[in-house]
Amino acid sequence: MIDILIIKNHQIGENMSLSRREFLKSSAAASAAAAIGMNVPTELEANANEAEAGWRWDKAACRFCGTGCGIMMATKNGKIVAVKGDPAAPVNRGLNCIKGYFNAKIMYGADRLTQPLLRVNDKGEFDKHGKFAPVSWKRAFDEMEIHIRKALKASGPEGVAVFASGQYTIMEGYAAQKMMKGGFRSNAIDPNARHCMASAVVGFYQTFGIDEPSGCYDDIELTDTVVSWGSNMAEMHPILWSRVTDRKLTDPDRVKVINMSTYRHRTSDLADIEIIFSPNTDLAMWNYIAREIVYNNPDAIDWDFLKKNIVFAASPVNMGYGMRRKGEKSLTPVRPDGSAGKYSAKEMETIRHEMVHKVSAKEAPALEPYGYKEGDEMVNKPAGLKHWEISFEEYKKFLEPYTLDYVAKIAKGDPDEPLDQFKQKLQTLADLYIEKGRKVVSFWTMGMNQHTRGTWVNTLSYNVHFMLNKQALPGSGAFSLTGQPSACGTAREVGTFCHRLPADMMVKNPHHRKHTEDGWHIPHGTLNPVGNQHIMKIHRDIEDGVVKFAWVNVCNAYQDSASAKHWIKAARTMDNFIVTSDGYPGISAMVSDLVLPSAMIYEKWGAYGNAERRSQHWRQQVLPVGQAMSDTWQWVELSKRFTVNDLWGPYTLRNGVKLADVRDEAEKMGYSKDTTMFEILYANDRAKKYKIDMNAFPQKGYDNSECNGDSRNVVGSDGKVFKGYGFMIHQYLWEEYASFGRGHGHDLADFVVYHKVRGLKWPVVDGKETPWRFNVKYDPYAAKAVAKSGNGSTHAFYGPLAKALSQGNLLGITDKKKKPLPDKAKIFARPYMDPPEMPDAEYDTWLCTGRVLEHWHSGTMTMRVPELFRAVPEALCYMNPKTAEEKGLKQGDLCWVESRRGRVKAHVETRGRNRPPRGLVFVPWFDEKVFINKVCLDATCPQSKQTDYKKCAVKIYKA
């Protein structure tokens, strides 16, 4: 693999002594040699230096997945001309994956958006059924203001919504959150990260009382065992997989790799053991391993660790599947043919399980400890995050059904694999976890997160590691890998979820609201305590007519959501106004009424936070194209349109909660009724202390379009050339956000520090990062907690959330009095349950969706990179050759993939990288022409609200 990618459209001067071929060879070869420590021949080095004359190299973070690779970018004459892996970056150590080498090319697609576009009629007036026409930034903001005011009048704060992103920079997400929650008083902002790691988040909260992983990537080099649970790391996290591969090849006899999946893929190729399981039965397999520990290897339990650090807990099981519920507006009226409201009779066959579920033979043994038997009707009720403490004996009783015979019978996913062989694999898996002295890391991504019991299965992973005292130790731990580049840094740490505030604070907690209001210098009582408009509820609220204004930021909300045809129809046919800010015209842009051109990643200053808690910053490398401006700028400019009087009056929410009129309190704070949100939230006295100094590091030599304006002379939201804010807004937003976490286990370093280093893993205390949280040897917060308690433990799980529980048994609470659980984590009893939709006589095949190595999410960027497009130009329907034969299909045929919700056509692939067992097909979702999310079910984990894209029932037939 080459170490450097030269951007082809960079023009080399004719007077250069090197030919283009020599230029490419010399520069790439010299860079590759340097990266691996080879001595570079003098002539080659000289040629490379001549080739790179005038290039400016600077560090940045990769735009794609949550791994957080470091890259180096070369710019010349206002263009990015080369990209290479950063040898100084500890995550990737100079290596890039195939997408990483094209970080620059994603910005230079032929159809890049360069000016605002509004749907208008022949008179130039806004018309929802009109065609797109270019408009000024001023006209764009005029229309946004009009429709936001209409939405507020019709529905209050709940009528204004934002589809946010795990790809926001940290500053963009923080700017958006301030205006939405502090300005509009709306918690209807939720990121696409809800789709990718919300289950992991709730699992962290419920288990540890605080979000994000305890370990770090160094675990890979230190472990003896890597178990991948529902994660195709070879394609989704290829740089991490290269480190796993290196670890395996370094000590092949000792190091074991186990791949757990519903189908074979490239991660399988390295595995010593591959376990192909039936969808949803990961729940049963985790409980099987726990049962093996408790019943057959009790000496493996570290009771000293458990007594000092762990309690056992249970929660309701009859909580549904996160779908629409009876009585919702779009489910009325109910008709004799079985249809209801806007949903067909076929769709209602599945949605009815949300209200009442009949216990199946497959799940009955697992539910027997809860008093259910096969055929019983389970009446589902919203359970929230309710849980309570139980005894170890209750937990042991819960585990009893998960024998090897039972679990193997329900979990075997390949119908052609002998049952005894599958049993042996499960037993070996358990033995590897239990083996004394063997270090084990369990990795997972979407397989466990995109799951109707995603929160449950996340918590079950910690059960096994806790009982064996193999958590939060170098080389051992359960580790949730994140999908997006700043799902951790922006969605989670900044708190751009509907229910969150910065640094693990929650909108429902009055102390957290007050603390945030003080930090933002807004009146007490401003913030809305109701945070329930998660991303699927926003879609449903648009369909129900509640949300009248929705803004899509740094994502493709109308391509990435399941049951997509419902949301597109609602956006296009109902009385609402949809805005999309993007770099390219994807499906969401096409669905919208107004499209805004956004600056892309290296056209702005920014920061991301990756999956190992590493925060990384970069500087603006080049000017945005056309009139494109950053999402930060768009939010800050919008804030100029609204005043105290406009937004801070009284409101009554749908559930009857009243938001106080805080305008008089605002006046007592020195604001007037006419003070704008811009003046309060962004251009305040605190912000203006962060000065522009183009002669000082890190500003010197770099553009700063938001702070200074730039040579494009973009005509801004007021109809005048935008000259910049005149202060260092990026630094202000970072430092104010960081202030919420410092001293509270989320410590971040100073803005300038991050421009000197290749990222730091928080908490950063006294200038030192924390590799393993909760471990007293490495985490100063854990050491402080143990010193205070005096219990002599090796760990302290100091997260503050849900650290007082009522007492009970598997069936419920028996003593409502809450007992404090300082510094304790939890082991949960959570059973196997079926998903709400499974193959039957008509829809006889499982459908799983996901990504491929070459493309990112909806393909909006990567499908515009010629090399990546040529590599994988379309989404295929991967299926077993025997499945194809049964359906009368063969390699290359065009087939229909149809569910109760919709259908798409795709070409059959029986020989590809993904090799499903009989009865399951895999279709990736990057291709808008194979719009697979029209087929998927919008069921979610009822606790995390994360959509389950990994399993629904389809039928396959020739097109």
Side-chain angles (χ1 to χ4, degrees):
M1 184 180 290
I2 64 170
D3 178 68
I4 186 171
L5 178 78
I6 314 297
I7 308 304
K8 286 185 179 179
N9 61 8
H10 173 58
Q11 299 299 311
I12 303 169
E14 292 180 4
N15 61 343
M16 289 185 68
S17 60
L18 292 176
S19 69
R20 178 180 176 80
R21 181 179 181 82
E22 290 169 335
F23 166 85
L24 292 170
K25 286 174 64 179
S26 298
S27 187
S31 230
I36 60 174
M38 284 177 57
N39 290 323
V40 182
T42 303
E43 182 181 357
L44 180 62
E45 185 174 15
N47 287 343
N49 290 339
E50 184 179 351
E52 297 183 16
W55 289 12
R56 180 189 70 187
W57 286 100
D58 197 25
K59 74 177 182 73
C62 179
R63 173 61 179 80
F64 297 109
C65 78
T67 301
C69 293
I71 61 173
M72 296 295 292
M73 310 202 85
T75 55
K76 184 176 182 180
N77 299 329
K79 290 285 186 180
I80 298 173
V81 296
V83 178
K84 64 181 179 180
D86 183 355
V91 172
N92 54 310
R93 305 164 185 179
L95 184 65
N96 280 349
C97 78
I98 187 63
K99 292 189 297 297
Y101 285 107
F102 292 101
N103 266 291
K105 276 201 169 184
I106 62 174
M107 303 196 305
Y108 299 129
D111 60 343
R112 179 76 190 271
L113 294 168
T114 60
Q115 55 190 328
L117 302 170
L118 177 70
R119 290 186 183 273
V120 297
N121 59 23
D122 293 340
K123 298 178 182 179
E125 301 163 331
F126 167 66
D127 184 342
K128 195 166 182 71
H129 304 292
K131 295 181 179 179
F132 283 117
V135 295
S136 66
W137 275 111
K138 182 179 185 302
R139 175 70 188 281
F141 282 107
D142 286 346
E143 292 292 341
M144 291 174 73
E145 179 184 350
I146 288 167
H147 291 281
I148 289 171
R149 291 184 186 277
K150 284 183 179 179
L152 290 169
K153 185 175 181 180
S155 302
E158 293 166 301
V160 177
V162 173
F163 294 105
S165 180
Q167 298 165 62
Y168 271 142
T169 69
I170 287 172
M171 294 75 143
E172 286 171 340
Y174 186 65
Q177 159 142 276
K178 287 190 79 175
M179 185 60 198
M180 277 298 286
K181 294 177 180 175
F184 294 129
R185 310 177 78 181
S186 172
N187 292 327
I189 174 173
D190 210 57
N192 61 351
R194 176 73 68 176
H195 291 317
C196 78
M197 31 51 61
S199 296
V201 172
V202 182
F204 282 121
Y205 280 156
Q206 292 202 334
T207 302
F208 299 99
I210 194 170
D211 192 13
E212 299 204 35
S214 55
C216 64
Y217 298 157
D218 292 350
D219 286 329
I220 295 171
E221 283 75 30
L222 298 172
T223 195
D224 305 312
T225 319
V226 173
V227 188
S228 175
W229 288 79
S231 176
N232 184 2
M233 288 179 68
E235 292 201 57
M236 304 311 115
H237 296 87
I239 298 302
L240 295 183
W241 194 243
S242 73
R243 291 174 63 170
V244 171
T245 301
D246 183 63
R247 175 65 183 131
K248 170 64 180 173
L249 297 179
T250 299
D251 191 354
D253 294 330
R254 174 64 178 171
V255 176
K256 301 299 179 186
V257 176
I258 301 92
N259 184 44
M260 317 278 290
S261 180
T262 57
Y263 61 96
R264 295 196 70 198
H265 44 62
R266 285 180 173 173
T267 300
S268 309
D269 297 339
L270 184 68
D272 296 283
I273 302 171
E274 179 176 60
I275 296 177
I276 303 299
F277 62 90
S278 178
N280 245 49
T281 60
D282 43 6
L283 293 156
M285 291 186 294
W286 276 117
N287 284 331
Y288 159 71
I289 299 169
R291 187 188 189 280
E292 278 294 295
I293 296 168
V294 170
Y295 280 80
N296 297 330
N297 295 273
D299 292 344
I301 300 173
D302 188 329
W303 278 108
D304 182 64
F305 175 82
L306 291 187
K307 288 174 181 177
K308 290 177 178 177
N309 298 291
I310 304 296
V311 298
F312 296 87
S315 58
V317 296
N318 59 327
M319 59 183 188
Y321 308 95
M323 297 183 286
R324 280 194 174 276
R325 293 192 64 81
K326 182 178 180 181
E328 292 183 10
K329 187 174 181 180
S330 291
L331 287 188
T332 56
V334 177
R335 303 181 190 91
D337 67 355
S339 65
K342 298 176 180 179
Y343 290 77
S344 69
K346 285 290 183 187
E347 289 175 292
M348 291 306 298
E349 288 176 2
T350 299
I351 293 173
R352 276 195 289 270
H353 290 289
E354 181 64 26
M355 280 61 78
V356 178
H357 166 68
K358 183 173 285 188
V359 175
S360 73
K362 189 173 182 179
E363 62 191 350
L367 292 173
E368 190 276 331
Y370 296 88
Y372 292 98
K373 61 182 184 299
E374 182 183 353
D376 284 353
E377 286 196 341
M378 179 183 287
V379 178
N380 292 318
K381 301 174 182 178
L385 302 178
K386 181 179 179 182
H387 60 281
W388 54 90
E389 187 176 355
I390 61 172
S391 67
F392 171 73
E393 290 307 316
E394 281 290 294
Y395 176 69
K396 185 175 181 180
K397 182 170 73 174
F398 152 80
L399 289 176
E400 199 282 328
Y402 297 95
T403 62
L404 181 59
D405 286 343
Y406 169 60
V407 173
K409 179 182 178 181
I410 68 169
K412 187 170 76 74
D414 181 353
D416 298 320
E417 180 177 15
L419 182 62
D420 286 345
Q421 179 177 300
F422 187 77
K423 284 184 177 181
Q424 182 58 52
K425 290 179 180 179
L426 288 181
Q427 183 68 64
T428 303
L429 174 69
D431 290 345
L432 286 170
Y433 272 101
I434 294 167
E435 182 184 327
K436 190 174 179 60
R438 172 171 286 275
K439 298 177 182 178
V440 185
V441 176
S442 303
F443 285 121
W444 68 91
T445 320
M446 300 312 148
M448 279 173 49
N449 291 347
Q450 293 175 343
H451 197 304
T452 51
R453 290 295 182 266
T455 298
W456 284 12
V457 74
N458 269 262
T459 61
L460 295 183
S461 69
Y462 302 115
N463 293 0
V464 169
H465 283 268
F466 280 150
M467 284 194 287
L468 300 169
N469 191 5
K470 294 185 179 184
Q471 180 67 31
L473 292 170
S476 281
F479 197 134
S480 164
L481 295 173
T482 308
Q484 296 189 82
S486 204
C488 290
T490 307
R492 295 160 78 166
E493 293 158 27
V494 170
T496 54
F497 285 93
C498 65
H499 63 289
R500 289 181 71 162
L501 293 166
D504 276 340
M505 292 189 291
M506 302 290 166
V507 298
K508 71 177 182 180
N509 186 312
H511 300 293
H512 292 177
R513 294 197 304 275
K514 182 178 181 294
H515 184 55
T516 304
E517 288 160 347
D518 289 341
W520 289 352
H521 290 232
I522 61 178
H524 294 163
T526 302
L527 293 178
N528 180 345
V530 180
N532 60 12
Q533 285 177 280
H534 55 86
I535 203 163
M536 291 314 303
K537 185 163 176 57
I538 291 173
H539 277 307
R540 294 167 188 169
D541 279 349
I542 293 172
E543 188 176 48
D544 287 349
V546 175
V547 169
K548 301 290 188 180
F549 177 93
W551 190 1
V552 179
N553 283 189
V554 205
C555 68
N556 197 348
Y558 285 93
Q559 187 176 339
D560 70 21
S561 297
S563 297
K565 70 177 186 180
H566 277 278
W567 324 129
I568 291 175
K569 183 178 181 181
R572 292 303 314 133
T573 63
M574 296 184 68
D575 178 21
N576 53 47
F577 191 78
I578 311 297
V579 182
T580 290
S581 293
D582 206 342
Y584 291 104
I587 285 178
S588 295
M590 295 299 99
V591 166
S592 296
D593 302 299
L594 174 66
V595 180
L596 303 179
S598 285
M600 293 182 70
I601 179 168
Y602 309 115
E603 298 170 339
K604 57 195 176 186
W605 290 66
Y608 279 162
N610 80 347
E612 64 167 354
R613 296 172 280 109
R614 181 181 299 276
S615 308
Q616 303 182 81
H617 286 232
W618 66 90
R619 296 179 279 202
Q620 182 176 339
Q621 301 298 313
V622 293
L623 296 182
V625 301
Q627 299 176 43
M629 294 296 284
S630 74
D631 292 77
T632 298
W633 182 87
Q634 292 173 36
W635 275 103
V636 174
E637 291 301 293
L638 181 66
S639 73
K640 295 177 177 178
R641 302 294 185 110
F642 296 92
T643 66
V644 167
N645 200 49
D646 293 331
L647 301 182
W648 286 357
Y651 292 104
T652 301
L653 305 180
R654 279 178 290 180
N655 64 358
V657 171
K658 295 183 183 298
L659 301 185
D661 186 333
V662 296
R663 290 173 293 188
D664 289 344
E665 290 302 313
E667 288 199 53
K668 293 177 184 177
M669 296 177 70
Y671 306 132
S672 74
K673 295 285 199 303
D674 296 325
T675 304
T676 65
M677 294 297 122
F678 171 70
E679 296 168 278
I680 297 171
L681 298 176
Y682 306 111
N684 50 59
D685 290 340
R686 305 180 310 285
K688 292 175 182 177
K689 292 177 182 177
Y690 294 95
K691 304 295 185 182
I692 297 293
D693 186 349
M694 298 307 295
N695 293 314
F697 179 87
Q699 299 177 44
K700 185 178 181 179
Y702 288 84
D703 290 306
N704 196 330
S705 295
E706 296 95 331
C707 300
N708 297 329
D710 59 50
S711 60
R712 295 174 302 152
N713 290 321
V714 172
V715 176
S717 65
D718 57 0
K720 301 175 184 178
V721 173
F722 178 71
K723 296 295 186 181
Y725 297 124
F727 60 93
M728 190 59 178
I729 192 169
H730 317 292
Q731 188 171 9
Y732 161 62
L733 291 170
W734 172 265
E735 293 297 345
E736 184 180 271
Y737 149 64
S739 69
F740 287 105
R742 289 171 180 154
H744 302 285
H746 274 273
D747 304 65
L748 295 163
D750 175 84
F751 177 86
V752 175
V753 168
Y754 286 102
H755 286 281
K756 298 177 180 178
V757 300
R758 266 56 176 183
L760 294 169
K761 297 185 289 288
W762 61 263
V764 181
V765 180
D766 297 329
K768 296 180 181 179
E769 61 182 355
T770 300
W772 289 277
R773 293 168 87 197
F774 314 124
N775 186 315
V776 298
K777 290 183 179 180
Y778 306 98
D779 184 345
Y781 280 94
K784 181 180 178 181
V786 170
K788 183 179 179 180
S789 69
N791 70 357
S793 178
T794 56
H795 292 73
F797 300 101
Y798 51 78
L801 300 175
K803 286 301 180 73
L805 294 183
S806 302
Q807 310 300 297
N809 54 36
L810 293 175
L811 302 182
I813 294 171
T814 57
D815 182 355
K816 292 183 178 180
K817 184 178 179 181
K818 292 193 173 182
K819 174 179 142 186
L821 308 167
D823 302 328
K824 296 289 183 73
K826 299 164 196 161
I827 286 176
F828 279 92
R830 283 171 163 166
Y832 166 76
M833 291 186 71
D834 294 338
E837 185 174 88
M838 301 173 74
D840 57 18
E842 183 177 2
Y843 300 93
D844 59 355
T845 303
W846 287 109
L847 168 67
C848 179
T849 66
R851 293 201 287 114
V852 294
L853 170 65
E854 294 82 357
H855 289 296
W856 172 248
H857 280 202
S858 60
T860 311
M861 296 180 291
T862 52
M863 287 287 273
R864 287 167 169 84
V865 175
E867 294 87 345
L868 297 177
F869 176 80
R870 286 195 297 268
V872 183
E874 64 177 310
L876 303 171
C877 180
Y878 294 88
M879 69 174 67
N880 189 286
K882 292 180 181 178
T883 300
E885 185 178 352
E886 290 168 4
K887 306 294 183 184
L889 298 165
K890 63 181 184 300
Q891 171 76 18
D893 279 354
L894 198 60
C895 72
W896 284 106
V897 181
E898 181 178 341
S899 74
R900 292 171 172 85
R901 292 155 294 283
R903 66 177 188 167
V904 298
K905 282 191 284 190
H907 284 104
V908 173
E909 177 57 75
T910 61
R911 301 177 301 203
R913 64 182 80 182
N914 300 302
R915 292 147 281 172
R918 282 193 298 117
L920 184 145
V921 296
F922 174 81
V923 182
W925 68 279
F926 67 85
D927 187 353
E928 62 185 36
K929 294 178 181 176
V930 183
F931 194 174
I932 196 63
N933 280 333
K934 292 193 300 183
V935 177
C936 294
L937 174 66
D938 64 316
T940 74
C941 168
Q943 296 185 303
S944 71
K945 317 301 182 188
Q946 181 167 354
T947 310
D948 189 339
Y949 295 92
K950 298 303 181 185
K951 57 195 81 77
C952 69
V954 297
K955 55 185 173 183
I956 311 289
Y957 53 96
K958 195 162 189 174

